[in-house]
Amino acid sequence: MLSGGGARGIAHIGVIEEIEKQGFEISSVAGTSMGAVVGGVYVLGKIEEYKAWLFKLDKMKIFSLVDFTFSSQGLLKGDKLFNNIGKFITDENIEELTIPYAAVATDIINKREVVFTKGSVFEAIRASMAFPTVFTPVKTENGLLVDGGVLNNIPINHVNRTPNDLLIAVNVNADIPLEKPGTPNFQSAAELSIYQKKIKEFRDEFQKFFPLNNEERLSYFDLINKTIDLMTYRLAQISLEMNPPDILINVSRDSSATFDFYRAGEMVEIGRNAAFKSLETYKATTNPENQPSKP
């Protein structure tokens, strides 16, 4: 089970790699938002290609994927981004995959979760990661779909279970101290300056829709995203309390900002490190003779 979390969700790649390295067989995947992306790419057998693409993204390439829209429903159309992601998400139906897969979105018109367990993998992912205020929502015949994290950022209850399996949940928004593996930072001061300029342009574009008065210390963009972050965090805690997994892999919410996709290499290593520690703890507290073989 893979949670949403923006760029922090890249850590799911490292988690998956470590799970398989330790000899576990992944028999089912459910995800929300970025978790749905990584999970979908994995079940399609494209995770290596997707990781290679992410590793080539620097700050400027990320902004080349930005396509502003004048719609009041979202700042970005997302066409450029999803066209690129489409290279790794072939147009297959979920029900035809060899590994059961589920992606969660939120229907804000009908006030309910929408769980994709059949139909187009690409359409499911596009809906699941339609982050409110950023990407335009996905229209359906009777609804309007946004990011699944609005209602269920850790969709433990939608994993396809099998007898004697292990339920592994990956939470990339954990309120824990950040432990960084020793990964180099290749960004120069010049690149950082350009990136900060682009971020400012991004925020300025957003504020055209929601002007900031002189008395407000947080921009509307910051305020909305901090509110959504807090909401998804609390709902995730409730979900974990109601549906405790066999193994919980936590990645610190301080590991990266939501849109820091240029830090892909670092996030993969953070995920790998978190998975290694959790799996070792599980092994140390479980009788090896009784360990199930599949998560």
Side-chain angles (χ1 to χ4, degrees), residues 242-259:
M242 294 178 62
N243 305 282
D246 298 301
I247 300 173
L248 176 61
I249 298 173
N250 281 319
V251 172
S252 173
R253 62 196 302 182
D254 297 323
S255 57
S256 84
T258 302
F259 303 107

Side-chain angles (χ1 to χ4, degrees), residues 35-47:
V37 176
V38 175
V41 172
Y42 172 77
V43 297
L44 289 168
K46 298 286 187 177
I47 199 161

